[in-house]
Amino acid sequence: MSGYVGILVSDPWLQNQFTQVELRSLKTHFMSMRRESGRVTLGELASKMSRLKVVGENLTEEERASFIHDFYPDHHDHDDVDFELFLRVYLKLQAHASARTGSNTKNSSAFLKAATTTLLHTISQSEKASYVAHINNYLAEDQFLKQYLPIDPSTNDLFEIAKDGVLLCKLINVAVPGTIDDRAVNTKRVLNPWERNENHTLCLNSAKAIGCTVVNIGTQDFIEGRRHLVLGVISQIIKIQLLADLNLKKTPQLVELVDDSKDVEELMSLPPEKILLRWMNFQLKKAGYKKIVTNFSSDIKDGEAYAHLLNVLAPEHSHQSTLAAKNPLERAKLVLEHADRMGCKRYLTAKDIVEGSPNLNLAFVAHIFQHRNGLSTQTKQISFLETLPDDALVSREERAFRLWMNSLGNSTYINNVFEDLRNGWVLLETLDKVSPGIVNWKIANKPPIKMPFRKVENCNQVVKIGKQLKFSLVNVAGNDIVQGNKKLILAYLWQLMRCNILQLLKNLRFHSHGKEITDVDILEWANSKVSNSGSQSRMDSFKDKRLSDGIFFLELLSSVQPRAVNWSLVTKGITDEEKKMNATYIISIARKLGCSIFLLPEDITEVNQKMILTLTASIMYWFLKQPVEERPSGTSDSESGSQSETISNSTIDDSASESSIEENGNM
């Protein structure tokens, strides 16, 4: 642990856990502790934290010392503690104290997981070996990583290499090409702590943007090489890559699994894992296999399903002895030999099959599907797809709202907002996160919900709360959500997402004034920042077509963090290709700073005003969270909030975003 004792918080995840008031209070406590002896060591924390509320009142000194030792077993009592480590310890102890008392202390439930998962240091060596093999295979030709690959799966080299953030950024781009602009990744041979932190911030925000769940994971976890957390993120990234083809857009032949157009719509709403299971059972039925496979664990332990599946897909490589084998382990070995002859990568061992490792079996089946799916290339059903609407904007907005909701850490992972929100429960959870305490949980119905009217009750409360929050919901009823009305669901989600960012800005910047912030305020702030940096660029509204070249946002990012943009990498933004290059760079730079955003480059080049507003607001939120002393020179606190005294009380300001429900009808 470094001897440097800092008082600034550079980790965006850590910043998000406290208000500015809380940070100032904790900073005062920390500075007071440090003044007593000139430093604070890990061994002293247990006693010095006795004066802190919740932590000091509900845990004895011995309990605090024991917990700290469990959290940081690799550190020593004489190690110096900086402010960020002090905050991490405080959060973990607060979670334990709050859990014990059953109190509703702010953040207690959110940090219960963070506090307990850090005690789980066991990782699956089989999974690690499998993921290392995947990385060695897919990143072998990467120019920067060549010096580190292949990684030896028998060592912990994976976690050491992951500490600079480059490996995970590259892996995300393999899973979903184009997610991260390589120009934004710091790839020097030796990175300083700031550059390393930027890479991890970019990685975490990009992981969220492709559908990973990274709640309670911070940049420090990667820098310290927390193995179970690093492996958990790698597992999710690889899973997203392997399941990427399991949808009708990428693999239209999947319609062979259904009988009519109604079933096609149902198939489109299924998560990739469910589609994979349906495909597997479809092939097994051909082989005469009587059982239904419902999971990637217990149902495939005996290896019989695999033997039948491979016999159907690659009969030329089959062997009679596979099904004749009496011992499951022996059968599993023969299955893997069959897969080898097909040219499939293993991803698992025979032991993993027999033990029912769900992650590795899922990876194995997904790879078999990618390699040889056994579906017809010409089917009558493909004509069904031609009759289905293909609205690119609706698809992009559904994706953005879905990823945003999943990033909040709700109890249910959303695969399709038009299907997965129909019972109202996840919407209620999201509303409670956006505006804590606004949901009446006593009248809410928790899934599974069998009676349709119970779903309507949940959705009626969703609509009622929307009206409380001044959403535009003319002629909208709960049953519209239950019925999966796409136009109305997108309209609601847009207003909810927008409400969330406005609420965050209000709580952060104007907490003491108690005044609302509007779209116009965000617009004026952005123009003011760019103008004060000496540029003539400006945007007239969030649908200003001049924004398509990306130059304004690059100047905005440069104004809030001068070192963020490498102008030698910026194009003139004249051709479509140049515009897309700038847009991709903007998104990666914003994520690298710490902005949690879910738009795609097309949203910038086509000037989608909803996504343009969220991008601008996210940059504003990031900037205003920075301590005044860390902001670019010449930026005063009063300047950045000069409009705070004149902000109107209206939350909805359609002159800037035109986000009314009527406009949603034309998406």
Side-chain angles (χ1 to χ4, degrees), residues 449-461:
I449 304 172
K450 294 181 180 178
M451 305 298 288
F453 75 92
R454 297 292 186 196
K455 298 178 184 179
V456 175
E457 286 176 349
N458 280 354
C459 292
N460 281 341
Q461 187 178 178

Side-chain angles (χ1 to χ4, degrees), residues 36 156 589:
E36 292 171 7
N156 284 324
I589 290 297

Side-chain angles (χ1 to χ4, degrees), residues 108-168:
S108 62
S109 59
F111 287 99
L112 193 54
K113 289 181 185 174
T116 53
T117 52
T118 45
L119 301 176
L120 302 175
H121 295 295
T122 56
I123 61 170
S124 164
Q125 293 301 322
S126 287
E127 286 195 27
K128 184 181 75 171
S130 178
Y131 302 151
V132 164
H134 182 96
I135 289 166
N136 287 340
N137 180 52
Y138 282 93
L139 291 171
E141 299 306 313
D142 185 271
Q143 291 303 307
F144 179 80
L145 293 173
K146 267 185 176 180
Q147 60 178 323
Y148 304 111
L149 301 181
I151 300 169
D152 183 349
S154 66
T155 68
N156 284 324
D157 289 354
L158 170 64
F159 307 109
E160 289 301 314
I161 295 168
K163 282 184 178 180
D164 68 5
V166 177
L167 175 68
L168 293 180

Side-chain angles (χ1 to χ4, degrees), residues 547-559:
L547 297 173
S548 67
D549 64 11
I551 302 297
F552 178 86
F553 287 108
L554 288 164
E555 290 181 334
L556 178 60
L557 288 163
S558 185
S559 73

Side-chain angles (χ1 to χ4, degrees), residues 397-595:
E397 292 194 345
E398 184 277 335
R399 173 191 173 279
F401 300 147
R402 167 168 42 88
L403 293 170
W404 166 66
M405 293 179 78
N406 283 333
S407 76
L408 299 175
N410 290 316
S411 63
T412 304
Y413 189 87
I414 303 165
N415 290 286
N416 182 310
V417 298
F418 304 127
E419 293 298 322
D420 298 348
L421 302 186
R422 287 166 65 166
N423 64 19
W425 183 262
V426 182
L427 276 170
L428 289 172
E429 284 189 320
T430 306
L431 283 162
D432 199 50
K433 284 184 165 64
V434 170
S435 186
I438 202 165
V439 176
N440 182 354
W441 291 109
K442 291 180 180 177
I443 61 170
N445 304 291
K446 189 173 182 177
I449 304 172
K450 294 181 180 178
M451 305 298 288
F453 75 92
R454 297 292 186 196
K455 298 178 184 179
V456 175
E457 286 176 349
N458 280 354
C459 292
N460 281 341
Q461 187 178 178
V462 166
V463 172
K464 181 182 176 184
I465 293 171
K467 290 176 179 175
Q468 275 179 251
L469 295 171
K470 298 186 171 61
F471 292 180
S472 178
L473 297 171
V474 180
N475 297 325
V476 178
N479 198 47
D480 293 316
I481 298 172
V482 177
Q483 296 299 321
N485 186 311
K486 292 184 178 182
K487 183 180 82 170
L488 297 180
I489 289 173
L490 286 179
Y492 192 98
L493 289 178
W494 158 238
Q495 294 181 82
L496 181 55
M497 188 180 189
R498 180 174 166 278
C499 174
N500 180 51
I501 191 68
L502 294 178
Q503 193 69 33
L504 287 171
L505 284 166
K506 176 192 171 186
N507 292 345
L508 183 73
R509 186 67 198 92
F510 308 114
H511 184 72
S512 57
H513 301 288
K515 295 178 180 176
E516 306 292 348
I517 191 166
T518 68
D519 298 358
V520 169
D521 297 316
I522 298 169
L523 189 72
E524 289 179 356
W525 173 85
N527 281 325
S528 171
K529 294 303 299 174
V530 171
S531 174
N532 290 340
S533 70
S535 171
Q536 300 299 311
S537 298
R538 65 173 285 108
M539 60 172 165
D540 293 335
S541 70
F542 295 115
K543 60 178 181 177
D544 188 334
K545 292 301 180 185
R546 293 174 299 176
L547 297 173
S548 67
D549 64 11
I551 302 297
F552 178 86
F553 287 108
L554 288 164
E555 290 181 334
L556 178 60
L557 288 163
S558 185
S559 73
V560 299
Q561 176 49 267
R563 60 187 291 276
V565 179
N566 182 345
W567 285 99
S568 68
L569 303 175
V570 175
T571 75
K572 291 181 180 178
I574 297 173
T575 67
D576 288 346
E577 182 59 30
E578 286 180 345
K579 288 178 179 180
K580 186 168 184 181
M581 286 178 69
N582 283 352
T584 306
Y585 192 45
I586 288 163
I587 292 169
S588 289
I589 290 297
R591 287 178 181 150
K592 185 176 174 180
L593 284 182
C595 299

Side-chain angles (χ1 to χ4, degrees), residues 304-409:
E304 287 187 12
Y306 278 148
H308 282 93
L309 177 66
L310 297 184
N311 282 348
V312 167
L313 297 176
E316 71 276 19
H317 297 302
S318 63
H319 203 287
Q320 294 178 353
S321 59
T322 306
L323 283 169
K326 301 297 183 186
N327 184 301
L329 188 63
E330 182 61 31
R331 186 181 301 117
K333 288 177 182 176
L334 293 169
V335 162
L336 292 177
E337 288 174 12
H338 189 162
D340 282 344
R341 292 192 292 273
M342 284 172 61
C344 288
K345 297 176 193 67
R346 289 205 170 192
Y347 281 100
L348 77 178
T349 64
K351 185 167 176 277
D352 295 323
I353 293 177
V354 173
E355 291 181 352
S357 171
N359 284 347
L360 296 183
N361 279 293
L362 171 66
F364 183 53
V365 178
H367 181 66
I368 292 171
F369 176 87
Q370 282 187 341
H371 189 74
R372 188 180 298 196
N373 62 39
L375 297 172
S376 170
T377 53
Q378 291 185 340
T379 66
K380 295 176 183 176
Q381 291 101 320
I382 289 181
S383 61
F384 289 155
L385 298 181
E386 296 166 4
T387 65
L388 295 172
D390 183 26
D391 190 322
L393 182 59
V394 166
S395 177
R396 289 209 308 269
E397 292 194 345
E398 184 277 335
R399 173 191 173 279
F401 300 147
R402 167 168 42 88
L403 293 170
W404 166 66
M405 293 179 78
N406 283 333
S407 76
L408 299 175

